[in-house]
Amino acid sequence: MKKALIFAFLAICDPIRKLLMRWQMAYGILFLSSLRGFRETVGRWKAWRAFENARKNCPAYADLLAKHPEAKVRLVGWTPDFSAIPPMDKPNYIKPYSLAQKCVGGKLPMRGAVIDESSGSTGKPNNWVRGPAEREYVSRVLQISLHQMLGNSPLMFINAFALGPWATGMCVSMAVVDVCLLKSTGPEVSKIINTLKDFGPGYRYVIAGYPPFLKMLADCKDVDWSQYDITAFFGGEAISENMRDYLRQSFRGGVFGDYGASDLEINIAAESEFTIAVRKLIIENPAVRSRLNRRFGDATPSVFQFNPMEYLVETNAEGELLITICRSSNVSPRIRYNIHDLGHVVQYHEVIAELKAAGVDLSKLPAPIAELPVMFMYGRSDFSVGYYGCKITPGEVESILYGLPELARRINAFALVTSEDAGNNKRLFVCLELAEGAEVPADITALTAQIFDRLAQVNQDYRESRKMVPAGYEPVLEFHAKQQGPFAANDIRVKCRYIQQR
């Protein structure tokens, strides 16, 4: 009976929500402080409905659940409990099933849908299908978010994400074209500089792209940045606050990131001046860091807020985020999807209480856009490194290194080492530990080219992002004597530290 009542209530609410989304001011009613509990409850109800829809109508998901006969949503009072539902991820769901099997009805929608792709860790691109209803929703939310952050004045939006079949670039262009004057340049410094010169400083600009590209753009001396009102949005990887400060010298409208993934969708959660201030407190204030980081110790998270009516975000026992897209209209459902990002969620009022307990003067904090839950994200648990908008995994590098017999015989171990120099330029070093008595190869330059050319063959995202790397900042191949450099602390009895920072 409770289930029938809940689903009937949601059916009544669906057209109301769609109507409210047409008017930004009306939509804001849903984010009043007094409705916090309502938002959380409705989000969990919608996640339950999305689960039931996928269970009944999606062949791949039905097959996954068949392997877990205990997989049922249980009601605790009026609150659904999803703890018995198996998470889905790339190994157990994305790779074993065809794209059609992962769609509602077991077939691809042949009208109104878009397919984009990203690269898997094996190098084979993964395809993702997005139907008209979800694209419309994501577009409208992105439009509302833009207006909430930047006001309703006209904007010229320059999309500097990679275009073509890749998820972020195409999704962003389709989302903003109805509310902005859009130019999709892709990551081309000269095209953006020419655009700024052609149209002049009389417009308010937004430039969206990967952080390293935004750094390259900000370093360009062919334009007087102080004459332009530019806000930068980034995705694909986190940035340091030093990098943000560096970029803000050119992009005086602010530098903001969002959280999303090709596996899921863009703009699941977003930064604001409030979340950036919280992140800086975590970095600077040990008491705040201890209270908000909890199990993650001294790590520096990215901090976002998200709409709990549209996304259910949980954390598993390993500290990884499980994300459910709560809309039943999605062509390819995502229920408790594990992208293997480490993190947790803290309710807004809890964050405020923890800050107050740590002695923070709350009056100095920027106001949040709304009192929404706060997501703390600490990076991939599958040990990938971010480099100029792409993710590189140790597995990819290992396969390349040990596919070169002459090199494989010379080395004991390897590590991916990243750093940021004083100018906030990101560096990547592939460090190799020489075996006892082995010598450094004679032609390191040729070997370096061979290794990273192979990486470009197996990792599509790296193949595209390497085009953005400025001269002098290409990945570096380094050789170290046994138990020297990044290998000094290695112990054969424990796992290697494949990813390190310098």
Side-chain angles (χ1 to χ4, degrees), residues 314-392:
E314 307 168 274
T315 300
N316 66 12
E318 290 73 38
E320 298 169 321
L321 297 170
L322 305 179
I323 298 178
T324 299
I325 299 177
C326 300
R327 298 186 302 279
S328 299
S329 59
N330 277 28
V331 169
S332 182
R334 293 291 181 269
I335 311 296
R336 305 194 89 206
Y337 189 82
N338 188 351
I339 200 169
H340 297 287
D341 279 340
L342 296 168
H344 58 197
V345 170
V346 182
Q347 296 301 318
Y348 172 82
H349 70 282
E350 294 178 53
V351 171
I352 294 301
E354 296 286 20
L355 294 177
K356 186 176 180 179
V360 174
D361 184 352
L362 301 180
S363 67
K364 295 182 179 180
L365 282 178
I369 293 175
E371 296 182 4
L372 298 174
V374 182
M375 177 196 295
F376 298 85
M377 198 281 290
Y378 298 84
R380 289 286 169 91
S381 63
D382 59 0
F383 300 109
S384 61
V385 297
Y387 181 67
Y388 284 83
C390 74
K391 299 291 184 182
I392 300 172

Side-chain angles (χ1 to χ4, degrees), residues 267-304:
N267 203 42
I268 290 173
E271 289 185 328
S272 65
E273 294 291 3
F274 168 75
T275 66
I276 294 170
V278 171
R279 188 186 194 215
K280 289 181 177 179
L281 285 170
I282 290 173
I283 295 170
E284 299 165 0
N285 188 320
V288 172
R289 185 160 60 247
S290 175
R291 289 178 175 275
L292 292 181
N293 273 359
R294 300 176 180 176
R295 68 190 291 177
F296 294 102
D298 290 331
T300 299
S302 295
V303 185
F304 309 97

Side-chain angles (χ1 to χ4, degrees), residues 119-139:
S119 176
S121 61
T122 62
K124 181 181 178 181
N126 294 300
N127 287 293
W128 318 97
V129 59
R130 311 184 198 280
E134 63 202 87
R135 289 193 294 108
E136 180 183 3
Y137 171 81
V138 171
S139 296

